[in-house]
């Protein structure tokens, strides 16, 4: 008789905790961040790459293929180009006067 009450109560508590903690969504978000923002796949080693890909494919199968094919975001800053004729192209404000 006790099992009739304890088993549903434990199942209800486990479901509530899983709903609050959302481990499935957290694992998917972590995997998506790793895939998008890690850069070169070589940095983590083969085991880490396999774990990230497996977690991402399991948690987000629709977007996995698209994200895996998208190159990582470039993190380098653009290099300013110097104008050899900068003196000729200066404005009044650049010369120290009022515009």
């Amino acid at each position: 008789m006790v099992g009739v009450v304890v088993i549903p109560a434990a199942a209800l508590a486990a479901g509530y905790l899983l709903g609050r903690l959302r481990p499935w969504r957290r694992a998917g978000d972590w995997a998506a961040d790793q895939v998008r923002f890690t850069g070169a796949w070589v940095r983590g080693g083969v085991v880490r790459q396999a774990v990230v890909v497996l977690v991402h494919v399991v948690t987000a199968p629709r977007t996995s293929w698209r994200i895996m094919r998208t190159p990582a975001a470039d993190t380098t800053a653009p290099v300013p180009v110097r104008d050899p004729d900068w003196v000729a192209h200066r404005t009044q404000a650049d010369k120290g006067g009022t515009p």
Side-chain angles (χ1 to χ4, degrees):
M1 188 68 176
V2 174
V4 174
V5 175
V6 172
I7 292 173
L12 183 65
Y16 175 76
L17 285 174
L18 287 175
R20 293 295 291 170
L21 296 176
R22 300 177 188 216
W24 193 260
R25 181 176 289 172
R26 288 180 188 224
D29 290 346
W30 172 80
D33 288 343
Q34 295 299 311
V35 170
R36 287 185 184 131
F37 302 116
T38 299
W41 280 80
V42 182
R43 292 182 190 160
V46 176
V47 175
R48 184 172 183 273
Q49 293 171 15
V51 168
V52 168
V53 169
L54 180 66
V55 169
H56 196 272
V57 167
V58 168
T59 58
R62 285 182 162 180
T63 59
S64 292
W65 182 250
R66 180 179 45 87
I67 290 173
M68 295 298 172
R69 293 186 59 190
T70 304
D74 189 21
T75 58
T76 59
V79 178
V81 178
R82 294 186 180 204
D83 184 11
D85 298 326
W86 68 273
V87 174
H89 298 140
R90 287 188 301 172
T91 62
Q92 264 316 61
D94 293 337
K95 294 178 185 175
T98 57

